[in-house]
Amino acid sequence: MYWLTLHDGPNDKEGTVIHNPFPKGAKTSVANGKLKTKGISTMTFTVNPFSPMWGRIKPYQTLIKVTDDQTDELAFNGRIFNLKQSMSNGSMFSETYECEDVLAYLYDTTQTYGRFQNISVFDLFKTIIGRHNAQAEPHKRFKVGNVTVTDPNDSLYRYLGYEKTYDTIKDKLLDRLGGYLVVRYEESGMYLDYLAEVGQVAEPTIQMRKNMKSLEKNIDPSGLVTVLIPKGATIDTDDEDTSASKPRVGIQSVNNGIEYIRDEELIAEFGEVKSSEPYYDDVNEPSILLTKARDFMDSQKAIKTTYNVSSLDYSLINGGIGQLKKGNWHYIDNPILAIDEPIQIAEIGIDFIDPRNPDLTLGEKQPTLTQYQKESNKRAVNIDNLQKIVDNQANSIFRLTESNIEIVDRYNEIQTSYNNLNTTLEIDDETGTSLALQNLKKAIDDLGVNIEDLPIYVPVTPVPGSPPGTMTPEDKVKLDNLKEYIEATHLQSGLFSASDKTKLDLVTVISPVDLNDIVARLTALEQPE
């Protein structure tokens, strides 16, 4: 559960609580957050005239903090930047505010022109943050924290322009080298880390039929490059036209006169997709450029895959169960979609008023071509397995003599499995997945018809004229009238008398007896001569 506190500005240290998780006290009707691992987190909240902050909230001046009551950690820390006022038909007034976290402070400053050659990642990051701090108000300044992102040569070649600080970091560092911006709060101030990896593999597993309510898989091949035309540093020319594009170092001289490289396996799967990006501004040697280009193609993933999951957060009712946190890796278990691996939470959509059902964006997962093809095969295998279940069930219908309820329940399970598969599986007409589903659907429908044709038996009674069940009422009477006999002994009668039992025990058979032969001889004796 969460506390929402507004501050009139950076000097208002105590703030005003507008929502607490307890029955009494200030309440806010709506407060939803989008907490991102990459990018700027946002949230919205709504207040009414009874709120203690009504009429006092100012965009860009009022600050907001959302505190997790369980961990005492800041779930959101930022400022208000947008306002919408409204009145309903019943003359009910409200104000809805949009908020952005402290990383948005990097949009309040700009960089200045500079050319940086043979500079490390840490030093470039420190330079950019230093220029931001020189322009920013005290509460918007960051201390340079840990930098774990590296460049293979630890020697960057970058130009800085006049863009916003955040856009500069994104273009010059994040988009080219990867990594995450992480704000860290210490007693000595607010730190900004630039990390290669964040999060850890954590519990709980997000599992189908347990805490996974729904899952949507999104496959995006738009960033794929199958034919790369590498471009290195710009080549200085005598052309004085500064608006014209300058030529760049290429690979023709070390690649048999060819300006591009190809990935034949990716081309076979996805066709030719050409690109000249990324540019290698710091590479002046064609041989080095060719090596970097090959490394890029070898490390390139097949497609970008993300998952949108609606889940249940059981940590709210059981403190022993871990929370779902952005940046952490949680195992995803969904056998229908062939998912059984840890995937990072890239974004959490959370209702701070009722946080039981967070919406998760997982990824970005980028499988290699081999992994992509393996997942496609696993999905096909899952369809085949479901088909076998249907076939086996159809064969077993004719052998079942018990209650039809078991058959109907099993059929319903198969129908539900098919519906889940049909709504969540990515259909690919070219691979035949769609045709497989059509055939599977027909088999399930035929199975339903066979179930409907099964006779329904009711318990039989001995009352004459009552409906027959597994036998007629007359046979039921005969069965009920049968006596239960015990084994006969010399002292106690059973299936026959005690005296007959004594006589029978005196009979001794010293050789095999052919009863048919005895009957034939008796018959012959009875015939008149």
Side-chain angles (χ1 to χ4, degrees):
M1 308 302 286
Y2 297 89
W3 294 76
L4 275 65
T5 306
L6 296 183
H7 299 260
D8 285 321
N11 296 324
D12 179 12
K13 304 301 181 182
E14 183 176 352
T16 302
V17 175
I18 61 170
H19 181 84
N20 73 73
F22 304 117
K24 295 183 179 180
K27 291 292 179 289
T28 298
S29 59
V30 177
N32 298 312
K34 290 288 186 181
L35 310 181
K36 299 180 179 180
T37 302
K38 290 185 176 181
I40 297 173
S41 297
T42 60
M43 69 167 290
T44 60
F45 70 92
T46 300
V47 296
N48 57 40
F50 299 102
S51 171
M53 286 295 290
W54 178 266
R56 294 167 49 190
I57 302 175
K58 298 178 180 179
Y60 285 97
Q61 294 296 317
T62 303
L63 308 180
I64 182 170
K65 292 183 178 179
V66 180
T67 307
D68 189 329
D69 184 57
Q70 284 184 300
T71 63
D72 202 32
E73 296 176 348
L74 280 176
F76 185 90
N77 184 24
R79 66 183 178 190
I80 285 135
F81 74 93
N82 202 359
L83 160 67
K84 181 176 71 175
Q85 297 176 323
S86 60
M87 182 188 78
S88 67
N89 292 333
S91 297
M92 297 295 293
F93 295 88
S94 65
E95 293 179 342
T96 299
Y97 294 90
E98 297 180 16
C99 314
E100 55 191 2
D101 74 11
V102 294
L103 279 180
Y105 293 159
L106 297 173
Y107 273 114
D108 293 352
T109 61
T110 61
Q111 295 293 300
T112 56
Y113 176 82
R115 176 184 176 185
F116 299 88
Q117 191 170 3
N118 297 327
I119 188 172
S120 67
V121 176
F122 176 85
D123 287 338
L124 180 61
F125 183 67
K126 182 179 179 180
T127 298
I128 295 172
I129 298 302
R131 291 182 174 186
H132 163 78
N133 289 339
Q135 305 170 56
E137 301 166 80
H139 72 282
K140 299 179 181 179
R141 297 171 186 168
F142 298 93
K143 295 180 181 293
V144 177
N146 301 316
V147 177
T148 60
V149 175
T150 60
D151 174 72
N153 300 319
D154 199 27
S155 177
L156 301 179
Y157 184 76
R158 297 285 192 272
Y159 283 94
L160 299 186
Y162 301 96
E163 293 81 11
K164 295 286 188 179
T165 297
Y166 186 88
D167 291 337
T168 299
I169 294 175
K170 186 174 186 300
D171 176 42
K172 307 303 181 183
L173 293 172
L174 294 172
D175 289 348
R176 305 190 191 193
L177 301 177
Y180 305 81
L181 293 179
V182 179
V183 179
R184 177 166 47 88
Y185 302 96
E186 304 288 350
E187 291 184 2
S188 55
M190 182 169 64
Y191 287 80
L192 184 59
D193 296 332
Y194 181 29
L195 306 178
E197 300 291 343
V198 298
Q200 58 186 345
V201 178
E203 293 291 341
T205 295
I206 303 174
Q207 192 169 9
M208 187 176 173
R209 298 189 185 94
K210 289 189 177 179
N211 56 349
M212 181 187 296
K213 295 175 60 179
S214 65
L215 183 146
E216 179 182 89
K217 183 176 182 179
N218 304 298
I219 298 176
D220 178 14
S222 60
L224 184 68
V225 177
T226 63
V227 181
L228 178 64
I229 308 171
K231 296 298 180 183
T234 56
I235 301 174
D236 292 331
T237 65
D238 296 333
D239 191 349
E240 297 180 357
D241 185 359
T242 58
S243 64
S245 298
K246 294 181 180 290
R248 288 178 175 268
V249 174
I251 62 171
Q252 294 93 319
S253 62
V254 293
N255 194 43
N256 299 321
I258 301 173
E259 67 172 352
Y260 57 81
I261 57 175
R262 297 161 55 91
D263 188 317
E264 298 297 343
E265 287 188 354
L266 288 178
I267 291 173
E269 185 74 23
F270 302 104
E272 292 190 3
V273 182
K274 297 181 179 180
S275 177
S276 297
E277 296 182 349
Y279 291 151
Y280 297 93
D281 296 323
D282 56 342
V283 178
N284 292 281
E285 294 293 331
S287 59
I288 298 176
L289 179 61
L290 179 59
T291 299
K292 285 183 173 290
R294 286 173 174 167
D295 290 343
F296 170 80
M297 294 295 279
D298 290 342
S299 64
Q300 185 182 212
K301 307 302 182 182
I303 52 175
K304 181 173 68 178
T305 304
T306 58
Y307 303 86
N308 294 325
V309 178
S310 178
S311 64
L312 298 172
D313 190 352
Y314 289 131
S315 68
L316 298 172
I317 58 177
N318 184 348
I321 299 177
Q323 280 187 320
L324 300 172
K325 293 184 177 182
K326 68 174 185 178
N328 277 350
W329 299 72
H330 292 264
Y331 269 90
I332 308 299
D333 183 6
N334 188 310
I336 299 299
L337 292 183
I339 307 172
D340 182 17
E341 60 183 323
I343 303 178
Q344 188 179 42
I345 297 180
E347 179 181 304
I348 296 181
I350 186 169
D351 183 346
F352 290 122
I353 309 303
D354 183 8
R356 293 174 296 177
N357 303 300
D359 292 322
L360 311 177
T361 299
L362 305 175
E364 303 166 350
K365 173 192 172 189
Q366 291 186 290
T368 63
L369 177 62
T370 301
Q371 291 170 333
Y372 171 75
Q373 292 171 333
K374 183 178 179 181
E375 288 182 2
S376 299
N377 292 335
K378 286 178 68 177
R379 291 195 297 269
V381 169
N382 287 340
I383 294 176
D384 290 341
N385 290 339
L386 189 55
Q387 178 71 65
K388 291 177 181 178
I389 294 175
V390 173
D391 293 341
N392 292 337
Q393 188 63 48
N395 293 332
S396 65
I397 286 177
F398 303 101
R399 298 193 302 268
L400 291 174
T401 58
E402 296 84 9
S403 170
N404 291 350
I405 295 177
E406 180 181 351
I407 303 173
V408 175
D409 285 347
R410 185 59 178 151
Y411 170 74
N412 290 337
E413 290 178 8
I414 297 173
Q415 185 68 52
T416 300
S417 298
Y418 170 83
N419 291 336
N420 291 336
L421 184 66
N422 193 35
T423 56
T424 58
L425 183 61
E426 189 73 16
I427 305 303
D428 187 347
D429 292 330
E430 294 183 0
T431 62
T433 304
S434 177
L435 180 60
L437 284 176
Q438 294 174 11
N439 294 335
L440 179 59
K441 176 63 175 172
K442 184 178 184 304
I444 293 175
D445 291 339
D446 292 343
L447 178 59
V449 171
N450 290 334
I451 290 176
E452 293 174 355
D453 292 338
L454 285 175
I456 299 176
Y457 293 106
V458 297
V460 67
T461 67
V463 179
S466 62
T470 53
M471 62 178 67
T472 63
E474 293 75 15
D475 290 336
K476 174 65 173 174
V477 172
K478 297 176 182 178
L479 182 63
D480 291 344
N481 288 334
L482 288 177
K483 294 182 180 180
E484 183 178 355
Y485 293 98
I486 62 175
E487 183 180 356
T489 68
H490 296 170
L491 303 176
Q492 179 179 346
S493 297
L495 187 59
F496 42 86
S497 66
S499 59
D500 288 339
K501 172 63 174 173
T502 301
K503 296 176 183 178
L504 181 63
D505 289 344
L506 295 176
V507 176
T508 301
V509 179
I510 59 176
S511 62
V513 178
D514 187 345
L515 295 179
N516 290 329
D517 180 63
I518 294 175
V519 170
R521 291 184 182 185
L522 291 175
T523 302
L525 291 174
E526 293 175 355
Q527 295 296 328
E529 295 182 357

